Amino acid sequence: MRGSFMSFFRTYWNSPVGPKTTHFWGPMANWGFVAAALADLEKPPEMVSGNMTSVMCVYSALCMRFAWMVRPRNYLLLGCHMSNETVQLFQLSRWARGQGYLQQKEDKTPITPSP
């Protein structure tokens, strides 16, 4: 059992997406975006920047595509940006609700009785 774990660990350590490469440390650093967005869930929606949150949504979408297209595929980066996209879209919906964009519009058409 121990030998198979060490063999797996050695293989991962020396792989093209292992901890010796930017394919590993880039995504690890990007988890900071997810942590920051999660920390901002405690703040009121008025403090959320709609512009910055939109930019973060586009950034994560582009990085997800990059992580999928690059060879070897970077699943760690893909997972990081999928998480960030999810949290940022939730933040954007909080901001939009706070700005009044997602409120139900009241139907002001007068109701006419049928004869």
Side-chain angles (χ1 to χ4, degrees):
M1 187 71 171
R2 182 175 163 82
S4 63
F5 174 74
M6 289 305 290
S7 174
F8 169 78
F9 182 73
R10 189 176 305 114
T11 302
Y12 179 67
W13 183 262
N14 293 318
S15 77
V17 293
K20 292 175 160 182
T21 67
T22 57
H23 280 277
F24 177 82
W25 291 108
M28 293 308 285
N30 277 313
W31 278 104
F33 291 134
V34 180
L38 287 171
D40 285 349
L41 292 176
E42 299 295 319
K43 294 181 179 176
E46 299 81 36
M47 293 188 70
V48 175
S49 168
N51 290 338
M52 190 65 207
T53 304
S54 300
V55 167
M56 290 301 292
C57 287
V58 171
Y59 164 76
S60 282
L62 291 173
C63 284
M64 280 191 292
R65 183 177 184 322
F66 170 79
W68 186 256
M69 297 305 289
V70 71
R71 296 287 180 235
R73 282 198 174 135
N74 194 334
Y75 295 110
L76 188 57
L77 186 65
L78 181 65
C80 169
H81 283 291
M82 286 175 70
S83 300
N84 191 41
E85 185 76 18
T86 302
V87 176
Q88 294 297 338
L89 286 171
F90 181 72
Q91 286 286 67
L92 194 59
S93 72
R94 287 182 63 226
W95 173 81
R97 256 185 262 115
Q99 297 295 317
Y101 292 122
L102 297 180
Q103 293 176 352
Q104 293 285 347
K105 293 191 177 190
E106 190 176 312
D107 188 15
K108 297 186 180 190
T109 310
I111 299 174
T112 56
S114 48

